[in-house]
Amino acid sequence: MRLTANQKKSYVGVHCLVLILAMLNFPFVSVAIASDEPFRSVTQSASWGGVPGRFDVGISVETRVQNRSGTDMETAFRETEALLIGNRLREEFETAAGWGVVRLFPEPSVIPQLTAYLEVLASDGRELTLKVTARTVSGELLLSQTYRDTSTGEDYSNDLKDPFADLFIAVHNDIADAVSSKSSSEPYLRVVSSLRYASELIPEAFPDYLCQDAGLFAVCREPSDADPMLARLSRLRDYELLFVDTIDEQLVRVAEKLNGAYHLWLKASKEQLDWLEFRQQQGVSRESLRNESTFTRLQAVYAAHRSLKIHEQELFELVLELENEARATAVYANQQIFRLSGTLEQQYREWRTTLREINDLESPL
Amino acid sequence: MIKRYVGILCFICLPVGCAQERHSEAVTRVATPVNMAGHWEIDFARSDNLQDQLSSIARRVQREATRRARLAEEGRGFAGSPLPDQRDLITLARLAEIIIEPVLLEVIQSDSRIRVKREKSFALVCEYDGSGLGVTVDTLGIQRCGWDGDQLYFAIELEEGLDVTHRLSRAKETDTLLMVTSVETTATRFPMVVSQYFTPYDPDALGYRCERTLTRGKVCSTQ
């Protein structure tokens, strides 16, 4: 990954191609939520609201769902599920139109003017609970809300229909409303984004241009459009987006492969939970086992367990297959192949380190 | 099948009582994993016959009932757990019949994970790091698994007091995989134990291979 001095010249006027063969390592189940958490229960009547402006949107997702089995397979599944959920929200933004580019970032980024950070708190087919935090790149908090949506049997009546579509629509609408009520303009936030990106990647680049107070960032001085440092940073940012977009393409293919199995798992999981609840409501006890329906009860228990496992395992196998397919990423830039490996987050950090090295080689200092 | 079970058990007269605590099997040997990877098909000739196993349990229960009756006649009370009745044993046999149904196995094994894929059923999956039994909890039960010496052990505790254990071991000399399955309920603390022998087979020998998945259905491809 180290760049040699001979490569320095070659980065000027570089044409990048990113070939990504790999990645995906994701997670999956439920977390207890504090009782004072301000939930917003989503109704079934959510409809799309208006869109305030052409903000670029970055979506990042993490799962907080408890890994109850403690297995690596479940961890991988939950991580994958988090990406699918992030992708679902992205689809809502894209459906609404009127936004700028909507990307899924491996971790929160200062490149888009607006970032939606999702934490998956519970997902079991019957319930989806997300904590959503939306901020502008200037640090302004637009939204901090926990959303909970519960599915019904009807939600699973159509093949592959998202049983939690209302939740994603509600999240989108709330973010759109929050953006509309704020005064920051898109061009101003674009400048803030450039300066924050510069300060993260090359802290010494524009040290006095960005002011910070109580977590909020403001532009104190604006760099000249002709500043070569700004042009270089812009190019590095494009490289970073190239990486993110390539990963995004992979994610779309992953979602296409997984959606069918994921939907079946959600449905099976809900059926199990409903069945268990029904049994509890009926007051089934050990004493009642000793009657003529004992076999029926035990057979039903085993059949339910078998059904859940079969659905779960098909999903796990798909996740494992995808993991095996996508463990490394090859980035081709200026006649040089950079190989990235590890999790998506690790690859992202590795690529950002590479961008700093590119900058160091190009810097006149 | 059920009528045969009734025929075997009709002479047993047993008391009925409350359930015992659930049984847990100790795994104490140091893990020494062996390679079980490959495709396996059941060897019916060597495997247990379910009816024979039921007869065996019935005889055990009868012996125990006789022993208790003798103790009672001698004025020595017996405070042991109640013995299963005819209906309990039939239930056990019918459950075992469902659980041991798979006749084809595919074992996929790595240093940290083993998957025993079973035709028409769910896979037995175990992840291990050498630190003891792996525990998996889901909505319907708990699975414990790990290597007990060179045997792969799965214990599944389900709702309603249904306990299922599987032990797999491989005999090098005959290239045989043995799976011993035990099925037990809280009403019958006499487990139904069934041994199934599996021998290697080549899934490609037919010139085509079929795979069934939930999302794609049954897909067959030529080699």
Side-chain angles (χ1 to χ4, degrees):
Chain A
M1 188 58 65
R2 285 273 165 208
L3 301 175
T4 66
N6 291 337
Q7 293 162 345
K8 177 180 174 181
K9 292 178 184 175
S10 60
Y11 285 108
V12 180
V14 69
H15 296 287
C16 278
L17 253 181
V18 178
L19 302 172
I20 295 188
L21 309 168
M23 53 159 238
L24 295 188
N25 183 8
F26 324 99
F28 155 139
V29 184
S30 294
V31 148
I33 300 160
S35 57
D36 56 351
E37 192 83 23
F39 280 111
R40 171 169 174 193
S41 290
V42 180
T43 66
Q44 298 297 311
S45 58
S47 58
W48 281 296
V51 175
R54 296 195 64 82
F55 284 68
D56 285 350
V57 180
I59 298 170
S60 300
V61 200
E62 276 196 83
T63 185
R64 306 276 181 229
V65 179
Q66 186 183 16
N67 183 340
R68 291 188 302 180
S69 72
T71 61
D72 294 340
M73 291 174 78
E74 185 174 331
T75 300
F77 169 72
R78 287 299 179 184
E79 287 172 359
T80 303
E81 180 188 46
L83 288 178
L84 293 177
I85 287 170
N87 193 48
R88 272 293 293 116
L89 183 61
R90 190 249 300 272
E91 287 173 0
E92 293 305 327
F93 276 88
E94 289 177 344
T95 303
W99 296 95
V101 183
V102 186
R103 293 184 172 94
L104 204 57
F105 282 83
E107 47 188 49
S109 170
V110 297
I111 294 178
Q113 291 94 58
L114 174 66
T115 292
Y117 176 62
L118 311 183
E119 294 167 84
V120 186
L121 303 182
S123 172
D124 58 14
R126 194 161 67 164
E127 173 191 329
L128 177 63
T129 305
L130 297 182
K131 184 169 194 299
V132 182
T133 308
R135 291 181 186 275
T136 64
V137 72
S138 63
E140 189 176 16
L141 182 65
L142 299 175
L143 179 73
S144 178
Q145 179 73 51
T146 300
Y147 294 81
R148 179 163 59 193
D149 191 13
T150 52
S151 63
T152 65
E154 286 182 3
D155 288 328
Y156 289 101
S157 56
N158 294 331
D159 284 348
L160 300 183
K161 180 195 165 201
D162 183 355
F164 303 108
D166 300 307
L167 185 149
F168 295 106
I169 293 171
V171 171
H172 166 265
N173 289 350
D174 287 355
I175 291 176
D177 290 346
V179 170
S180 298
S181 66
K182 302 294 179 183
S183 58
S184 297
S185 69
E186 190 273 335
Y188 176 76
L189 291 176
R190 200 169 286 280
V191 176
V192 176
S193 168
S194 295
L195 293 174
R196 284 197 67 186
Y197 186 73
S199 68
E200 279 193 0
L201 201 66
I202 315 162
E204 66 280 9
F206 300 102
D208 304 325
Y209 290 62
L210 195 63
C211 302
Q212 187 179 358
D213 181 31
L216 295 177
F217 295 87
V219 178
C220 295
R221 288 173 60 195
E222 201 164 339
S224 162
D225 289 344
D227 189 322
M229 177 76 86
L230 196 64
R232 189 160 63 243
L233 276 166
S234 175
R235 191 156 43 81
L236 293 175
R237 189 175 55 184
D238 288 345
Y239 289 177
E240 184 165 332
L241 290 177
L242 195 58
F243 173 86
V244 171
D245 287 345
T246 311
I247 292 290
D248 237 358
E249 287 298 313
Q250 296 263 336
L251 178 61
V252 170
R253 286 197 287 276
V254 167
E256 285 171 358
K257 284 185 179 179
L258 282 179
N259 268 343
Y262 181 57
H263 188 268
L264 283 174
W265 173 79
L266 286 174
K267 186 178 179 183
S269 179
K270 175 181 162 46
E271 286 170 357
Q272 307 294 319
L273 292 167
D274 288 349
W275 180 71
L276 279 174
E277 189 177 85
F278 173 77
R279 286 172 63 247
Q280 284 163 2
Q281 285 171 353
Q282 295 297 307
V284 175
S285 64
R286 290 285 153 76
E287 288 70 27
S288 66
L289 288 175
R290 300 191 67 82
N291 60 32
E292 289 188 351
S293 64
T294 301
F295 170 73
T296 305
R297 291 180 189 282
L298 292 171
Q299 191 267 344
V301 166
Y302 189 76
H305 179 71
R306 181 173 58 185
S307 168
L308 182 65
K309 285 289 175 190
I310 288 173
H311 284 88
E312 186 180 278
Q313 285 170 357
E314 169 148 1
L315 197 53
F316 284 4
E317 290 216 357
L318 273 171
V319 170
L320 289 175
E321 276 177 27
L322 291 167
E323 270 196 329
N324 292 335
E325 281 176 12
R327 278 283 185 190
T329 301
V331 182
Y332 179 72
N334 195 38
Q335 300 173 351
Q336 170 90 12
I337 294 174
F338 299 93
R339 296 192 183 281
L340 308 173
S341 58
T343 65
L344 202 54
E345 291 76 12
Q346 287 167 341
Q347 290 184 34
Y348 188 45
R349 285 175 205 143
E350 195 178 347
W351 183 236
R352 297 198 78 193
T353 302
T354 304
L355 296 181
R356 286 192 193 93
E357 290 176 354
I358 291 173
N359 175 72
D360 290 345
L361 288 170
E362 293 184 351
S363 171
L365 298 176
Chain B
M1 180 69 88
I2 304 306
K3 286 182 180 175
R4 282 183 300 182
Y5 295 156
V6 174
I8 291 163
L9 298 168
C10 62
F11 57 90
I12 302 175
C13 179
L14 299 165
V16 175
C18 60
Q20 281 183 296
E21 284 186 10
R22 296 178 80 156
H23 165 78
S24 63
E25 189 170 348
V27 173
T28 54
R29 291 182 290 173
V30 175
T32 53
V34 297
N35 182 19
M36 296 181 177
H39 291 83
W40 303 87
E41 64 181 346
I42 196 165
D43 180 346
F44 284 108
R46 299 181 63 196
S47 298
D48 281 345
N49 177 300
L50 200 56
Q51 190 172 332
D52 291 344
Q53 293 308 302
L54 185 61
S55 302
S56 172
I57 296 181
R59 286 193 293 272
R60 282 173 54 208
V61 172
Q62 187 185 27
R63 282 197 295 271
E64 179 63 14
T66 305
R67 189 178 72 86
R68 291 187 185 187
R70 191 165 53 242
L71 287 173
E73 286 171 6
E74 293 170 356
R76 292 186 286 163
F78 186 81
S81 59
L83 295 174
D85 64 11
Q86 171 184 318
R87 193 170 51 205
D88 293 331
L89 294 184
I90 292 173
T91 293
L92 197 62
R94 292 173 69 190
L95 286 169
E97 191 174 26
I98 295 168
I99 292 166
I100 65 166
E101 184 187 12
V103 295
L104 295 177
L105 308 179
E106 181 186 0
V107 182
I108 301 164
Q109 189 170 357
S110 69
D111 289 341
S112 59
R113 179 187 299 145
I114 189 164
R115 283 185 287 162
V116 182
K117 297 172 72 173
R118 301 181 295 172
E119 189 193 33
K120 297 180 184 173
S121 190
F122 61 93
L124 300 168
V125 181
C126 190
E127 291 183 355
Y128 36 83
D129 58 7
S131 63
L133 290 180
V135 180
T136 307
V137 181
D138 61 37
T139 50
L140 293 170
I142 301 171
Q143 175 191 281
R144 293 181 176 81
C145 68
W147 287 96
D148 183 16
D150 58 0
Q151 297 178 5
L152 183 62
Y153 172 75
F154 292 91
I156 305 168
E157 287 182 16
L158 296 174
E159 292 280 312
E160 309 280 20
L162 176 59
D163 291 348
V164 180
T165 65
H166 300 281
R167 267 184 189 273
L168 289 97
S169 60
R170 182 170 187 171
K172 289 177 186 172
E173 299 76 21
T174 55
D175 202 10
T176 303
L177 191 67
L178 170 63
M179 180 156 71
V180 178
T181 301
S182 164
V183 183
E184 202 168 343
T185 69
T186 46
T188 55
R189 294 289 77 169
F190 282 74
M192 170 76 75
V193 181
V194 183
S195 297
Q196 292 173 293
Y197 288 87
F198 294 84
T199 54
Y201 80 100
D202 180 4
D204 298 330
L206 291 173
Y208 65 89
R209 182 186 289 194
C210 295
E211 185 183 21
R212 180 180 291 282
T213 68
L214 291 168
T215 46
R216 288 169 290 176
K218 189 174 183 181
V219 179
C220 296
S221 58
T222 55
Q223 304 303 312

